[in-house]
Amino acid sequence: GIQVEQSPPDLILQEGANSTLRCNFSDSVNNLQWFHQNPWGQLINLFYIPSGTKQNGRLSATTVATERYSLLYISSSQTTDSGVYFCAVERGGGADGLTFGKGTHLIIQP
Amino acid sequence: NAGVTQTPKFQVLKTGQSMTLQCAQDMNHNSMYWYRQDPGMGLRLIYYSASEGTTDKGEVPNGYNVSRLNKREFSLRLESAAPSQTSVYFCASITFPNTEAFFGQGTRLTVV
């Protein structure tokens, strides 16, 4: 099956810092999503981004499908940004479901 | 619009007991999925249903069964719970192609 690797596995930053999270995948995909899992365990959709660039407030994401990677940018970090960020991909057609990376655990310190 | 609703939120079972996790979505999505999440790992697919009336095994199906009751509902059953099934379970729904998946709030299951 498709492999998804996220880096770094852990990241500790001070409030106000910027960060870049990376997701590499091993095959072409029709679906790529970024999720934030908050400390209560809820999975929150951040971006649906199989290709191109999107921005939502302090967060933005870029997927370069031809090179099989995606980047999530967080600017001016806040303590509420803490949690685990997952990248998930799907090759197409819905037959396999989303395959998740192991996530990046982000801690924002005040 | 509730999205994806899972019940129960928490459950403690004794080894050998059975239970069913319920999932319902109100977004008219065709496909539904059950995942489990263990500490330090991403989500792993247990079973999926690409459309009403069909179900297929995912990466970790052993010890589980599923039923796609109708387009809205997809249940996961543990026939004889084992401590290795202690995990957080997530249900998700999506319609392909070119849409995003939505997840329920999760069920935290402990088997003692």
Side-chain angles (χ1 to χ4, degrees), chain A residues 4-66:
Chain A
V4 182
E5 294 185 0
Q6 292 187 242
S7 60
D10 301 282
L11 188 57
I12 301 174
L13 298 172
Q14 294 297 120
E15 203 167 19
N18 301 329
S19 58
T20 301
L21 282 57
R22 187 176 180 101
C23 171
N24 293 331
F25 44 97
S26 62
D27 203 349
S28 59
V29 298
N30 283 346
N31 185 344
L32 188 146
Q33 291 185 238
W34 284 97
F35 295 90
H36 175 215
Q37 188 167 41
N38 64 23
W40 295 270
Q42 187 180 6
L43 282 165
I44 299 165
N45 291 31
L46 296 177
F47 293 102
Y48 168 78
I49 187 165
S51 63
T53 298
K54 290 186 177 180
Q55 181 160 4
N56 184 3
R58 295 181 296 104
L59 275 62
S60 63
T62 295
T63 298
V64 183
T66 53

Side-chain angles (χ1 to χ4, degrees), chain B residues 39-97:
Chain B
M41 301 185 72
L43 279 69
R44 292 182 294 168
L45 185 64
I46 304 171
Y47 269 94
Y48 62 93
S49 171
S51 61
E52 185 178 353
T54 67
T55 61
D56 287 286
K57 296 178 180 179
E59 181 186 354
V60 289
N62 291 344
Y64 306 96
N65 286 302
V66 292
S67 295
R68 182 74 181 268
L69 304 171
N70 48 55
K71 191 172 186 179
R72 290 187 63 248
E73 298 172 291
F74 188 38
S75 63
L76 178 72
R77 183 161 178 83
L78 287 70
E79 291 291 351
S80 178
S84 61
Q85 294 178 304
T86 293
S87 189
V88 180
Y89 292 85
F90 287 94
C91 176
S93 71
I94 191 171
T95 288
F96 289 96

